Amino acid sequence: MWSESKNSIGSRGSEGGAIISDDEHSLGARVTLEKGGDIAPFSITVGVYGSFFHTTYMGSLSEGEAIFKSMKSDIDEYLNYPQKEESNWVENFVNRY
C-alpha cells in the first residue's frame, strides 16, 4: 500500500529540485517527483529497497505526474507478486522509464 510522505514536500530532492510528490510503499519502495532539478525541469527517482534505484527525467508536470502514477502501479504489482523474475522485471522497468 502506498502512503504520501508529506514531511518531504517542498524540501530539496536528490536531483536538486523541490519535491512535489513523495510516496512510500509499505512493502519497501519509494517514488519521488521533483520540480526544477539540476538536469531537467522534472525528475522522478524510484527505489525498491534492497533491489535497485532509478531516475528518469521529463519536461512537463503532466508527463511527470503520468509517469509517477505508472511507476507506482508497476512497482505495486512487482512487490505484490515477488515470484516474478527480478532481473527481467528491473531491466524492463528501467527500459520503459
Side-chain angles (χ1 to χ4, degrees):
M1 168 163 284
W2 291 98
S3 61
E4 185 178 17
S5 301
K6 293 183 181 186
N7 293 341
S8 62
I9 304 301
S11 64
R12 178 176 225 125
S14 62
E15 295 302 305
I19 295 174
I20 56 177
S21 294
D22 187 16
D23 292 359
E24 190 164 20
H25 197 285
S26 60
L27 295 177
R30 187 171 185 172
V31 182
T32 305
L33 174 61
E34 297 178 33
K35 176 182 180 179
D38 296 332
I39 295 175
F42 295 89
S43 59
I44 298 174
T45 54
V46 58
V48 176
Y49 306 155
S51 183
F52 77 99
F53 183 83
H54 178 65
T55 303
T56 191
Y57 305 97
M58 63 281 319
S60 72
L61 179 58
S62 60
E63 182 184 16
E65 290 173 332
I67 291 172
F68 186 86
K69 183 178 178 180
S70 181
M71 283 179 156
K72 284 176 48 178
S73 177
D74 287 349
I75 292 167
D76 189 58
E77 181 181 334
Y78 173 73
L79 291 173
N80 283 294
Y81 299 99
Q83 67 275 12
K84 290 184 176 190
E85 187 176 333
E86 181 177 345
S87 62
N88 287 341
W89 187 90
V90 171
E91 181 179 345
N92 290 336
F93 183 90
V94 170
N95 287 337
R96 180 173 178 192
Y97 301 107

